[in-house]
Amino acid sequence: GKGNYRHFMEKELHEHPAVLGDTLRQYLDPKTLEVRLPRLPFDPARLPRLTISACGSAFLAGLVGRYWIEGLARLPVDADVASELRYRDPPLAEGGGAILVSQSGETADTMAALQLLRAGGQRVLAVVNVPESSMARESDGALLTVAGPEIGVASTKAFTAQLAVLACLAIGFGRARRELSTLDEGRLTQALLEVPGNAAAILERDAEIRELAAEVAKARDVLFLGRGPLYPIALEGALKLKEISYIHAEGYAAGEMKHGPIALVDSDVPVVALCPSGPLFEKTMSNLQEAAARGGRIMAFTDAEGAPALRRFAERVVELPHACAFAAPILHAIPVQLLAYHVAVLKGTDVDQPRNLAKSVTVE
Ligand code: F6R
């Protein structure tokens, strides 16, 4: 049941800390600060190339995974939504590997991508939440997200659990390919181990996010912006808002604003920015300043280090617990999902069962 929560989605949002803890404990050792992966269907040290494919939010988790894996393991990654991959018939590298990401493990397009990849000689690893699913059975190996059943149609805890598994894989691949020192590995796993506690602290900012939601709920269109691994989180924020509140939203790479979307910016369009401190902070901030100069109302998620500079021009700044740049995408996913939830509640939509959508899309 829903317990004391109004919706399954609210309950599942509040399970983020527990699910992240359970999932991370599965793949990393808190004592040695090492990633411990089960036997994989491919040797990451020998892979020439990796393909990531999935649908919807699971694909967006895969996109974050691409930034991490390319960055930490220097392994080239292609990422494509499964509905495109299956008909694009891409040339696949000999001896290549693939990762499919899915909560249900039953999504028709992702299953079709699985067949195509295996027929093309790729060794396929599935990151799935349902151990007995078709995807877990038919791939060459599976890593489980430990999210428990997800009832709300919009993915929440399963998404952050997918990120947690992909983060562990990126570290493991980095070590296998000799791109990461033991020291780097320790620093990154330490950052991941702090994620569940930080997630709990973010959920305590609920009232602040509800205030932000009251502003967003009045809008007809909303822009979500981020750079680097926060760009897929901007896409996730926009997807979730569209899906459950029916407000039109677009996620953009912040650097793309001046190539078109900035034409939309005026005082009626809230611009939700994912702008943690770190290597891309200054670049993202200057894109936000350009939007603010055109009347855009900037609503920024950042941390204590980023907040003072953003407060100079942003309408609202929500300060999240400080995390190293590596963990920031996981932490920023939580408030954008929470924001979508509160907007939907304010609009009175059917949060757990949005119109026209099904939890598991088993037809093409
Ligand atoms: C969005 C959402 C969907 C799913 C997509 C894939 O909130 O839930 O976009 O992520 O339908 O489903 P799975 O992960 O079951 O393959």
Side-chain angles (χ1 to χ4, degrees), residues 95-110:
I99 298 179
L100 299 175
V101 187
S102 177
Q103 188 284 125
S104 62
E106 302 296 344
T107 302
D109 281 321
T110 314

Side-chain angles (χ1 to χ4, degrees), residues 262-284:
I262 199 163
L264 286 177
V265 169
D266 66 21
S267 58
D268 292 331
V269 182
V271 177
V272 179
L274 308 177
C275 195
S277 63
L280 298 172
F281 179 80
E282 296 293 335
K283 292 279 175 204
T284 312

Side-chain angles (χ1 to χ4, degrees), residues 42 52 56 91 96 102 115 118 131 135 154-155 164 171 209 219 231 239 245 253 255 262 275 308 310 327 336 343 346:
F42 45 69
I52 297 182
S102 177
Q115 315 301 355
R118 293 201 68 207
M135 228 170 285
S155 182
I171 297 172
I209 292 165
Y231 163 45
L239 174 60
S245 79
I262 199 163
C275 195
L310 290 165
V336 299
V343 173
L346 287 166

Side-chain angles (χ1 to χ4, degrees), residues 9 54-60 101-108 110 127 135 150 152-156 158-159 162 236 239-240 243-244 337 357-361:
M9 186 179 179
C55 299
S57 283
F59 173 67
L60 301 178
V101 187
S102 177
Q103 188 284 125
S104 62
E106 302 296 344
T107 302
T110 314
V127 174
M135 228 170 285
E150 194 179 62
V153 163
S155 182
T156 51
F159 177 75
Q162 287 158 355
E236 164 70 1
L239 174 60
K240 213 111 293 184
E243 186 179 18
I244 62 169
Q337 292 179 346
L357 294 173
K359 181 70 184 159
S360 186
V361 184

Side-chain angles (χ1 to χ4, degrees), residues 152-154 220 239-249 344 347-359 361:
V153 163
R220 200 189 60 172
L239 174 60
K240 213 111 293 184
L241 190 68
K242 282 185 273 224
E243 186 179 18
I244 62 169
S245 79
Y246 315 143
I247 292 177
H248 170 241
K347 299 211 83 171
T349 57
D350 188 344
V351 176
D352 285 332
Q353 297 252 285
R355 68 187 181 204
N356 310 339
L357 294 173
K359 181 70 184 159
V361 184

